[in-house]
CSV table of all heavy atoms in Angstrom, one decimal:
chain,number,residue,atom,x,y,z
A,226,TYR,N,-5.2,-5.3,5.1
A,226,TYR,CA,-6.0,-5.3,4.0
A,226,TYR,C,-5.9,-4.0,3.2
A,226,TYR,O,-5.7,-2.9,3.8
A,226,TYR,CB,-7.5,-5.5,4.2
A,226,TYR,CG,-7.7,-6.8,5.1
A,226,TYR,CD1,-7.9,-6.7,6.5
A,226,TYR,CD2,-7.8,-8.0,4.5
A,226,TYR,CE1,-8.1,-7.8,7.3
A,226,TYR,CE2,-8.1,-9.1,5.1
A,226,TYR,CZ,-8.2,-9.1,6.6
A,226,TYR,OH,-8.4,-10.1,7.4
A,227,LEU,N,-6.2,-3.9,1.9
A,227,LEU,CA,-6.3,-2.7,1.2
A,227,LEU,C,-7.6,-2.8,0.3
A,227,LEU,O,-7.6,-3.5,-0.7
A,227,LEU,CB,-5.1,-2.4,0.3
A,227,LEU,CG,-5.1,-1.1,-0.5
A,227,LEU,CD1,-4.9,0.1,0.5
A,227,LEU,CD2,-4.0,-1.1,-1.6
A,228,GLN,N,-8.5,-2.1,0.8
A,228,GLN,CA,-9.9,-2.0,0.0
A,228,GLN,C,-9.6,-0.9,-1.2
A,228,GLN,O,-9.4,0.3,-0.8
A,228,GLN,CB,-10.9,-1.6,0.8
A,228,GLN,CG,-12.4,-1.4,0.0
A,228,GLN,CD,-12.8,-2.8,-0.6
A,228,GLN,OE1,-13.1,-3.7,0.0
A,228,GLN,NE2,-12.9,-2.8,-2.1
A,229,MET,N,-9.8,-1.2,-2.5
A,229,MET,CA,-9.7,-0.2,-3.5
A,229,MET,C,-11.0,-0.1,-4.2
A,229,MET,O,-11.5,-1.1,-4.6
A,229,MET,CB,-8.6,-0.7,-4.5
A,229,MET,CG,-7.2,-1.0,-3.8
A,229,MET,SD,-5.8,-1.5,-5.0
A,229,MET,CE,-6.5,-3.1,-5.6
A,230,ILE,N,-11.3,1.2,-4.4
A,230,ILE,CA,-12.7,1.4,-5.2
A,230,ILE,C,-12.3,2.4,-6.3
A,230,ILE,O,-11.3,3.1,-6.3
A,230,ILE,CB,-13.8,1.9,-4.3
A,230,ILE,CG1,-13.4,3.2,-3.6
A,230,ILE,CG2,-14.2,0.9,-3.3
A,230,ILE,CD1,-14.6,3.9,-3.0
A,231,SER,N,-13.2,2.5,-7.2
A,231,SER,CA,-13.0,3.5,-8.3
A,231,SER,C,-11.7,3.3,-9.0
A,231,SER,O,-11.1,4.4,-9.3
A,231,SER,CB,-13.3,4.9,-7.7
A,231,SER,OG,-14.6,5.1,-7.2
A,232,LEU,N,-11.4,2.1,-9.3
A,232,LEU,CA,-10.1,1.9,-9.9
A,232,LEU,C,-9.9,2.5,-11.2
A,232,LEU,O,-10.9,2.7,-12.0
A,232,LEU,CB,-10.0,0.3,-10.0
A,232,LEU,CG,-9.7,-0.4,-8.6
A,232,LEU,CD1,-9.8,-1.8,-8.8
A,232,LEU,CD2,-8.3,0.0,-8.2
A,233,LYS,N,-8.7,3.0,-11.5
A,233,LYS,CA,-8.2,3.6,-12.7
A,233,LYS,C,-7.2,2.8,-13.4
A,233,LYS,O,-6.5,2.0,-12.7
A,233,LYS,CB,-7.8,5.0,-12.4
A,233,LYS,CG,-8.8,5.9,-11.7
A,233,LYS,CD,-8.2,7.2,-11.3
A,233,LYS,CE,-9.1,8.2,-10.6
A,233,LYS,NZ,-8.6,9.4,-10.2
A,234,PRO,N,-7.1,2.9,-14.7
A,234,PRO,CA,-6.0,2.2,-15.4
A,234,PRO,C,-4.6,2.5,-14.8
A,234,PRO,O,-3.8,1.5,-14.7
A,234,PRO,CB,-6.1,2.7,-16.9
A,234,PRO,CG,-7.6,3.0,-17.1
A,234,PRO,CD,-8.0,3.6,-15.6
A,235,GLU,N,-4.5,3.7,-14.3
A,235,GLU,CA,-3.2,3.9,-13.7
A,235,GLU,C,-2.9,3.4,-12.3
A,235,GLU,O,-1.8,3.4,-11.9
A,235,GLU,CB,-3.0,5.5,-13.6
A,235,GLU,CG,-4.2,6.3,-12.8
A,235,GLU,CD,-5.1,6.9,-13.8
A,235,GLU,OE1,-5.5,6.1,-14.9
A,235,GLU,OE2,-5.5,8.1,-13.7
A,236,ASP,N,-3.9,2.6,-11.9
A,236,ASP,CA,-3.7,1.9,-10.6
A,236,ASP,C,-3.1,0.5,-11.0
A,236,ASP,O,-2.8,-0.3,-10.0
A,236,ASP,CB,-5.0,1.7,-9.9
A,236,ASP,CG,-5.6,2.9,-9.4
A,236,ASP,OD1,-4.9,3.8,-8.8
A,236,ASP,OD2,-6.9,3.1,-9.4
A,237,THR,N,-3.0,0.1,-12.2
A,237,THR,CA,-2.3,-1.1,-12.6
A,237,THR,C,-1.0,-1.1,-12.1
A,237,THR,O,-0.1,-0.4,-12.4
A,237,THR,CB,-2.4,-1.3,-14.2
A,237,THR,OG1,-3.8,-1.3,-14.7
A,237,THR,CG2,-1.6,-2.5,-14.5
A,238,ALA,N,-0.7,-2.3,-11.3
A,238,ALA,CA,0.6,-2.3,-10.7
A,238,ALA,C,0.8,-3.6,-10.0
A,238,ALA,O,-0.3,-4.3,-9.7
A,238,ALA,CB,0.9,-1.2,-9.7
A,239,VAL,N,1.9,-4.0,-9.5
A,239,VAL,CA,2.1,-5.1,-8.6
A,239,VAL,C,2.0,-4.5,-7.1
A,239,VAL,O,2.7,-3.5,-6.8
A,239,VAL,CB,3.4,-5.9,-8.7
A,239,VAL,CG1,3.6,-6.9,-7.6
A,239,VAL,CG2,3.4,-6.5,-10.1
A,240,TYR,N,1.1,-4.8,-6.3
A,240,TYR,CA,0.9,-4.4,-5.0
A,240,TYR,C,1.7,-5.2,-3.9
A,240,TYR,O,1.5,-6.4,-4.0
A,240,TYR,CB,-0.6,-4.2,-4.7
A,240,TYR,CG,-1.2,-3.1,-5.4
A,240,TYR,CD1,-1.5,-3.0,-6.8
A,240,TYR,CD2,-1.6,-1.9,-4.8
A,240,TYR,CE1,-2.0,-2.1,-7.5
A,240,TYR,CE2,-2.1,-0.9,-5.3
A,240,TYR,CZ,-2.3,-0.9,-6.8
A,240,TYR,OH,-2.9,0.1,-7.4
A,241,TYR,N,2.4,-4.6,-3.1
A,241,TYR,CA,3.1,-5.2,-2.1
A,241,TYR,C,2.6,-4.9,-0.7
A,241,TYR,O,2.5,-3.7,-0.3
A,241,TYR,CB,4.7,-4.9,-2.2
A,241,TYR,CG,5.3,-5.3,-3.5
A,241,TYR,CD1,5.3,-4.5,-4.6
A,241,TYR,CD2,5.8,-6.6,-3.6
A,241,TYR,CE1,5.9,-4.8,-5.8
A,241,TYR,CE2,6.4,-7.0,-4.8
A,241,TYR,CZ,6.5,-6.1,-5.9
A,241,TYR,OH,7.0,-6.5,-7.1
A,242,CYS,N,2.6,-5.8,0.1
A,242,CYS,CA,2.5,-5.6,1.7
A,242,CYS,C,3.9,-5.4,2.3
A,242,CYS,O,4.9,-6.1,1.9
A,242,CYS,CB,1.7,-6.7,2.3
A,242,CYS,SG,1.5,-6.8,4.1
A,243,ALA,N,4.1,-4.5,3.2
A,243,ALA,CA,5.3,-4.2,3.7
A,243,ALA,C,5.3,-4.0,5.2
A,243,ALA,O,4.3,-3.4,5.7
A,243,ALA,CB,5.9,-2.9,3.1
A,244,LYS,N,6.3,-4.5,6.0
A,244,LYS,CA,6.3,-4.4,7.4
A,244,LYS,C,7.1,-3.1,7.8
A,244,LYS,O,8.2,-2.8,7.2
A,244,LYS,CB,7.0,-5.5,8.1
A,244,LYS,CG,7.4,-5.4,9.5
A,244,LYS,CD,8.2,-6.6,9.9
A,244,LYS,CE,8.7,-6.5,11.2
A,244,LYS,NZ,9.7,-5.5,11.3
A,245,GLY,N,6.5,-2.2,8.7
A,245,GLY,CA,7.2,-1.1,9.3
A,245,GLY,C,8.4,-1.6,10.2
A,245,GLY,O,8.4,-2.6,10.8
A,246,VAL,N,9.1,-0.5,10.6
A,246,VAL,CA,10.2,-0.6,11.6
A,246,VAL,C,9.8,-0.6,13.0
A,246,VAL,O,10.3,-1.3,13.8
A,246,VAL,CB,11.4,0.4,11.2
A,246,VAL,CG1,12.5,0.2,12.2
A,246,VAL,CG2,12.0,0.1,9.8
A,247,THR,N,8.7,0.2,13.2
A,247,THR,CA,8.2,0.4,14.6
A,247,THR,C,6.7,0.4,14.4
A,247,THR,O,6.1,0.1,13.4
A,247,THR,CB,8.7,1.7,15.1
A,247,THR,OG1,8.0,2.8,14.4
A,247,THR,CG2,10.2,1.9,15.1
A,248,GLY,N,6.0,0.5,15.6
A,248,GLY,CA,4.6,0.6,15.6
A,248,GLY,C,3.9,1.8,15.1
A,248,GLY,O,2.8,1.7,14.6
A,249,TRP,N,4.7,2.8,14.8
A,249,TRP,CA,4.2,4.0,14.2
A,249,TRP,C,5.0,4.4,13.0
A,249,TRP,O,4.6,5.4,12.3
A,249,TRP,CB,4.3,5.2,15.2
A,249,TRP,CG,5.7,5.4,15.7
A,249,TRP,CD1,6.6,6.3,15.1
A,249,TRP,CD2,6.4,4.9,16.9
A,249,TRP,NE1,7.9,6.2,15.8
A,249,TRP,CE2,7.7,5.4,16.8
A,249,TRP,CE3,6.0,3.9,17.7
A,249,TRP,CZ2,8.6,4.9,17.8
A,249,TRP,CZ3,6.9,3.5,18.7
A,249,TRP,CH2,8.3,3.9,18.7
A,250,GLY,N,6.0,3.8,12.6
A,250,GLY,CA,6.8,4.1,11.6
A,250,GLY,C,6.4,3.6,10.2
A,250,GLY,O,6.8,2.3,10.0
A,251,ILE,N,5.4,4.1,9.6
A,251,ILE,CA,4.8,3.5,8.4
A,251,ILE,C,5.8,3.5,7.2
A,251,ILE,O,5.7,2.8,6.2
A,251,ILE,CB,3.5,4.2,8.0
A,251,ILE,CG1,3.7,5.6,7.8
A,251,ILE,CG2,2.5,3.9,9.1
A,251,ILE,CD1,2.5,6.4,7.2
A,252,ARG,N,6.9,4.4,7.3
A,252,ARG,CA,7.8,4.5,6.4
A,252,ARG,C,9.3,4.7,7.1
A,252,ARG,O,9.1,5.6,8.0
A,252,ARG,CB,7.6,5.5,5.3
A,252,ARG,CG,6.5,5.1,4.2
A,252,ARG,CD,6.2,6.3,3.4
A,252,ARG,NE,5.6,7.4,4.0
A,252,ARG,CZ,5.4,8.6,3.4
A,252,ARG,NH1,5.6,8.7,2.0
A,252,ARG,NH2,4.8,9.6,4.1
A,253,PRO,N,10.2,4.1,6.8
A,253,PRO,CA,10.5,3.0,5.8
A,253,PRO,C,9.9,1.7,6.3
A,253,PRO,O,9.5,1.6,7.4
A,253,PRO,CB,11.9,3.0,5.5
A,253,PRO,CG,12.4,3.4,6.9
A,253,PRO,CD,11.5,4.5,7.5
A,254,TYR,N,10.1,0.8,5.4
A,254,TYR,CA,9.6,-0.6,5.9
A,254,TYR,C,11.0,-1.6,5.6
A,254,TYR,O,11.7,-1.2,4.8
A,254,TYR,CB,8.5,-1.1,5.1
A,254,TYR,CG,8.4,-0.6,3.8
A,254,TYR,CD1,8.9,-1.3,2.7
A,254,TYR,CD2,7.5,0.4,3.5
A,254,TYR,CE1,8.8,-0.7,1.4
A,254,TYR,CE2,7.3,0.8,2.2
A,254,TYR,CZ,8.0,0.3,1.0
A,254,TYR,OH,7.8,0.8,-0.2
């Protein structure tokens, strides 16, 4: 999940969920 508060116009985007390569490797996916 991604909880977003205090949203700003610059937050406008397509948001993607992505799988990491390892249990700790949040980047890359």
Side-chain angles (χ1 to χ4, degrees):
Y226 307 96
L227 185 69
Q228 177 68 61
M229 306 184 294
I230 65 171
S231 301
L232 285 165
K233 303 175 180 179
E235 51 263 46
D236 294 321
T237 295
V239 177
Y240 284 72
Y241 298 92
C242 175
K244 172 185 172 292
V246 176
T247 67
W249 59 90
I251 59 176
R252 292 177 289 178
Y254 34 83

